[in-house]
């Protein structure tokens, strides 16, 4: 898969004149930098740290941000930018490692500081200038570094300091090169947004013209040009990403779009219906709902191993999808809801400074198997941007805000054997969890919540009778990126209502437990 810098020219020029590039030196927060810049309504992309100056010139960014990174600038094999970037006459902001690189390139010394600094630190402005305009004389910043710039050479002047770091922020005397030893992109830095805004707007001169409505208009045009009079197939799952892809394509090419929903019997309550309601009744797309529940349940019968379940479901999905796609003979394209974080994570250069974190299921896979040309209209977007587009395109709020759902669906939440009646029990319990969280106003704050049906029975009493029935676990997590997650503290009274409703109304359940484990070491799903 191509790295993030090898993108189509079409994609990269999505916001033609106003582009900021983040050169990624292996930072865990490169995406956050891009997010914060986009909050200034300026388009921003993350690229390899060693993107050549020729390519940078072609892309014509308004500014460059050099990210942080885990290496030491003086270490052997430390990732370096193309040295020509400092002569490009494009404003540069180096963050942490990026600052050390920028200063070192102009003759400053970098070495380990006397104290390693991690966490919140008071930072005092020594010379505000354009970068610190609107930032109070003293504020809290987030530090995370061992090395620091030890002397400024003749070229730099200090803009801010902390107790242990005399050069917390610096500026080149004559060139537009800035450095921040702290991280403006994280929310712990009180005025980080102002600092990045100052860099992007005052120093780089961006007006801030990146808007979702413009993105839609531009993307619709690009899709029409690319697709011509051909047909596009889009797989729908009920989730927000595929729904937004379909709605965007519908706007662009209308009746040339065919959607396929594989109803595998493992969807959430009401999910298939809501896809039909939206894409058949509201958007009137050519929607193919393939009833495949029997097939999936037959193939899954007796299987309890989670990976085996995933394998079976993945293979069946492709078989069923391929078969249905055959009934749409003139299709040449397959649309997928790949998002920017998937591209960055999966596309990272294996030899690059940031190790590939996860390989996402959306990237690759289906198109290779099916021989279609791939269309990924959301490749440049973060999740909240996708939601904003979904709302703008007229998708129902409930669909736009729906929590993520794994491809293998309820199969990995129905621990042990998968049978129709067990799935029904789980589906009913899950709907209650979601309904109570929604009523309590917590649904949007929680990133993912669901019920899990455990593969054990427990003893209970109902009336005068002893019962020996199923157990439901409730899972709810708070997370930024799903790579790590904290269990969400649902208030006791809400938990109480969930439990009472499930036990009273879902037949065969006599106990509800609450999962209070974080990731790591647990995962979000139970299987
Ligand atoms: P875990 O359980 O790994 O989940 O902490 C992280 C996120 O990924 C989702 N997930 C999956 N999504 N196919 C998917 O499409 C899968 O096999 C799969 N397993 C987990 C999970 O719901 C959570 O959002």
């Amino acid at each position: 898969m191509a790295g993030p810098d090898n993108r189509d020219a079409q994609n990269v020029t999505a916001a033609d004149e106003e582009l900021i590039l983040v050169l990624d030196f292996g930072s865990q927060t490169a995406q956050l930098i891009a997010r914060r810049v986009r909050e200034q309504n300026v388009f921003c992309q993350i690229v390899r740290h060693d993107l050549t100056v020729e390519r940078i010139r072609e892309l014509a960014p308004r500014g460059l941000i050099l990210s942080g990174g885990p290496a030491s600038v003086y270490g052997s094999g430390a990732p370096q930018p193309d040295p020509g970037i400092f002569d490009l006459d494009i404003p540069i902001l180096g963050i942490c490692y990026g600052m050390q690189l920028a200063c070192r390139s102009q003759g400053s010394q970098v070495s380990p500081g006397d104290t390693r600094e991690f966490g919140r630190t008071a930072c005092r402005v020594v010379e505000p200038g354009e970068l610190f305009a609107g930032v109070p004389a003293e504020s809290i910043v987030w530090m995370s570094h061992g090395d620091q710039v030890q002397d400024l050479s003749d070229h730099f002047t200090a803009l801010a300091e902390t107790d242990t770091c005399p050069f917390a922020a610096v500026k080149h005397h004559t060139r537009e090169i800035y450095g921040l030893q702290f991280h403006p992109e994280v929310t712990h830095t009180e005025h980080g947004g102002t600092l990045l805004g100052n860099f992007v707007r005052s120093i780089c001169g961006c007006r801030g013209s990146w808007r979702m409505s413009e993105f839609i208009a531009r993307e619709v045009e690009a899709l029409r040009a690319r697709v011509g009079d051909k047909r596009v197939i889009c797989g729908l799952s009920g989730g927000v990403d595929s729904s937004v892809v379909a709605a965007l394509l519908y706007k662009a090419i209308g009746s040339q779009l065919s959607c396929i929903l594989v109803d595998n019997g493992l969807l959430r309550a009401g999910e298939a219906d809501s896809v039909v309601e939206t894409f058949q009744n509201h958007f009137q797309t050519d929607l193919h709902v393939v009833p495949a529940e029997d097939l999936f349940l037959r193939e899954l019968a007796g299987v309890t191993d989670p990976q085996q379940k995933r394998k079976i479901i993945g293979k069946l999905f492709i078989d069923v999808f391929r078969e249905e796609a055959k009934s749409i003979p003139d299709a040449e394209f397959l649309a997928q809801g790949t998002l920017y974080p998937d591209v960055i994570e999966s596309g990272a250069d294996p030899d690059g400074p940031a190790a590939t974190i996860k390989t996402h299921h959306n990237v690759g896979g289906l198109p290779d198997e099916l021989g279609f040309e791939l269309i990924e209209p959301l490749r440049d977007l973060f999740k909240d941007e996708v939601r904003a587009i979904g709302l703008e395109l007229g998708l129902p709020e409930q669909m736009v805000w729906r929590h993520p759902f794994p491809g293998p669906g309820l199969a990995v939440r129905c621990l042990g054997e998968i049978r129709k009646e067990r799935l029904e029990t789980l589906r009913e319990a899950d709907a209650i969890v979601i309904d109570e969280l929604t009523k309590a106003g917590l649904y949007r704050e929680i990133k993912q919540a669901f019920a899990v049906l455990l593969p054990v029975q427990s003893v209970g009493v109902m009336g005068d009778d002893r019962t020996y029935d199923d157990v439901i676990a409730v899972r709810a997590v708070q997370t930024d990126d799903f790579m790590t997650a904290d269990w969400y503290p649902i208030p006791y009274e809400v938990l109480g209502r969930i439990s009472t409703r499930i036990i009273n109304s879902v037949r065969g359940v006599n106990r509800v437990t609450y999962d209070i484990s974080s990731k790591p070491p647990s995962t979000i799903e139970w299987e």
Side-chain angles (χ1 to χ4, degrees):
M1 149 116 229
D5 53 321
N6 295 328
R7 321 273 306 279
D8 290 345
Q10 201 184 355
N11 276 336
V12 172
T13 51
D16 30 292
E17 315 137 83
E18 296 204 337
L19 170 68
I20 297 286
L21 291 180
V22 176
L23 273 58
D24 184 6
F25 292 90
S27 171
Q28 296 296 326
T29 55
Q31 279 196 42
L32 263 184
I33 302 174
R35 281 298 300 119
R36 297 283 168 265
V37 172
R38 289 194 191 178
E39 279 164 15
Q40 301 292 327
N41 296 317
V42 174
F43 190 61
C44 181
Q45 285 197 305
I46 302 169
V47 294
R48 283 180 57 105
H49 63 282
D50 53 0
L51 199 66
T52 63
V53 287
E54 291 76 28
R55 181 72 180 129
I56 293 175
R57 269 202 207 96
E58 271 168 35
L59 296 174
R62 291 290 178 90
L64 299 178
I65 297 180
L66 315 186
S67 82
S72 280
V73 288
Y74 48 79
S76 71
Q80 302 288 336
D82 183 329
I85 63 166
F86 298 106
D87 301 319
L88 273 175
D89 216 17
I90 298 173
I92 290 179
L93 174 65
I95 295 174
C96 197
Y97 179 88
M99 163 183 174
Q100 294 158 15
L101 279 174
C103 290
R104 196 159 184 255
S105 77
Q106 309 297 308
S108 298
Q109 289 295 320
V110 177
S111 53
D114 294 337
T115 343
R116 294 163 74 83
E117 261 187 313
F118 290 99
R120 291 181 174 81
T121 310
C123 175
R124 292 175 297 279
V125 179
V126 211
E127 197 192 306
E130 273 182 301
L131 189 60
F132 279 82
V135 177
E138 182 164 327
S139 65
I140 297 298
V141 299
W142 181 263
M143 287 283 195
S144 173
H145 67 107
D147 294 344
Q148 63 184 40
V149 174
Q150 300 293 356
D151 79 89
L152 289 187
S153 70
D154 293 336
H155 299 297
F156 287 94
T157 185
L159 301 179
E161 63 181 16
T162 71
D163 282 346
T164 55
C165 180
F167 312 127
V170 300
K171 178 191 182 315
H172 195 281
H173 288 305
T174 52
R175 298 182 183 189
E176 296 284 29
I177 301 178
Y178 293 80
L180 295 175
Q181 183 55 69
F182 56 88
H183 290 267
E185 70 276 18
V186 304
T187 48
H188 309 298
T189 295
E190 288 176 333
H191 299 278
T194 308
L195 284 164
L196 286 170
N198 288 341
F199 176 69
V200 165
R201 287 170 175 267
S202 310
I203 296 168
C204 300
C206 296
R207 296 181 316 276
S209 56
W210 160 256
R211 296 276 184 288
M212 283 303 133
S213 52
E214 280 179 37
F215 172 87
I216 292 174
R218 237 186 320 243
E219 198 57 38
V220 160
E221 237 174 80
L223 285 170
R224 280 186 190 141
R226 175 148 180 225
V227 172
D229 58 1
K230 303 289 182 339
R231 178 162 288 279
V232 180
I233 294 183
C234 179
L236 284 174
S237 67
V240 55
D241 304 341
S242 63
S243 303
V244 172
V245 169
L248 193 58
L249 276 159
Y250 183 71
K251 190 176 170 74
I253 56 167
S255 60
Q256 288 162 252
L257 172 69
S258 293
C259 295
I260 298 179
L261 169 68
V262 176
D263 187 353
N264 56 11
L266 304 167
L267 302 176
R268 290 170 282 195
E271 197 148 30
D273 291 344
S274 92
V275 170
V276 171
E277 174 56 33
T278 304
F279 288 98
Q280 197 158 292
N281 302 346
H282 179 60
F283 287 125
Q284 302 182 335
T285 47
D286 172 36
L287 174 63
H288 301 231
V289 180
V290 190
E293 181 183 27
D294 290 349
L295 172 67
F296 276 76
L297 295 196
R298 204 166 50 237
E299 295 291 319
L300 285 166
V303 178
T304 55
D305 176 66
Q307 286 313 92
Q308 192 62 19
K309 287 180 182 176
R310 278 193 169 79
K311 247 184 160 160
I312 292 171
I313 293 166
K315 180 183 174 302
L316 278 182
F317 178 82
I318 290 173
D319 289 350
V320 173
F321 196 94
R322 177 192 281 137
E323 203 48 40
E324 190 59 32
K326 278 191 200 153
S327 73
I328 310 168
D330 51 343
E332 289 209 359
F333 298 92
L334 180 75
Q336 281 200 325
T338 313
L339 303 195
Y340 199 41
D342 308 331
V343 174
I344 300 168
E345 285 166 4
S346 300
D349 175 0
D351 303 322
T356 301
I357 302 166
K358 68 170 182 183
T359 303
H360 198 276
H361 350 269
N362 274 347
V363 183
L366 257 187
D368 295 344
E369 301 259 356
L370 298 175
F372 290 115
E373 205 177 310
L374 186 60
I375 288 188
E376 296 172 306
L378 310 181
R379 260 183 92 92
D380 282 333
L381 303 180
F382 290 98
K383 192 83 170 187
D384 48 350
E385 294 172 326
V386 171
R387 290 206 163 100
I389 286 184
L391 292 173
E392 193 136 342
L393 288 168
L395 288 175
E397 292 231 347
Q398 192 218 15
M399 191 174 256
V400 165
W401 286 99
R402 200 142 208 196
H403 288 173
F405 189 58
L410 296 182
V412 290
R413 296 177 181 173
C414 184
L415 311 198
E417 266 192 61
I418 296 167
R419 291 193 306 272
K420 189 166 175 158
E421 68 281 3
R422 294 194 79 220
L423 288 169
E424 201 40 50
T425 301
L426 173 58
R427 203 173 273 124
E428 281 177 39
D430 187 66
I432 291 171
V433 172
I434 298 309
D435 185 52
E436 288 299 335
L437 293 178
T438 307
K439 282 184 183 148
L442 297 172
Y443 185 73
R444 282 198 197 174
E445 190 182 324
I446 295 172
K447 291 290 167 56
Q448 198 172 9
F450 50 89
V452 181
L453 179 63
L454 305 191
V456 289
Q457 276 71 47
S458 81
V459 173
V461 279
M462 282 207 188
D464 292 333
D465 290 333
R466 174 186 184 276
T467 58
Y468 189 56
D469 277 343
D470 284 331
V471 184
I472 286 284
V474 175
R475 180 74 160 141
V477 295
Q478 198 52 295
T479 173
D480 283 330
D481 55 9
F482 296 90
M483 312 291 288
T484 62
D486 289 324
W487 60 276
Y488 185 88
I490 301 176
Y492 282 169
E493 58 278 15
V494 181
L495 281 173
R497 283 199 291 275
I498 290 173
S499 164
T500 306
R501 252 183 89 185
I502 291 177
I503 291 171
N504 285 349
S505 66
V506 181
R507 266 176 76 94
V509 176
N510 67 359
R511 191 176 299 269
V512 173
T513 67
Y514 184 33
D515 180 352
I516 49 168
S517 7
S518 290
K519 174 184 177 177
S522 302
T523 51
I524 295 173
E525 303 291 347
W526 278 47
E527 283 195 337

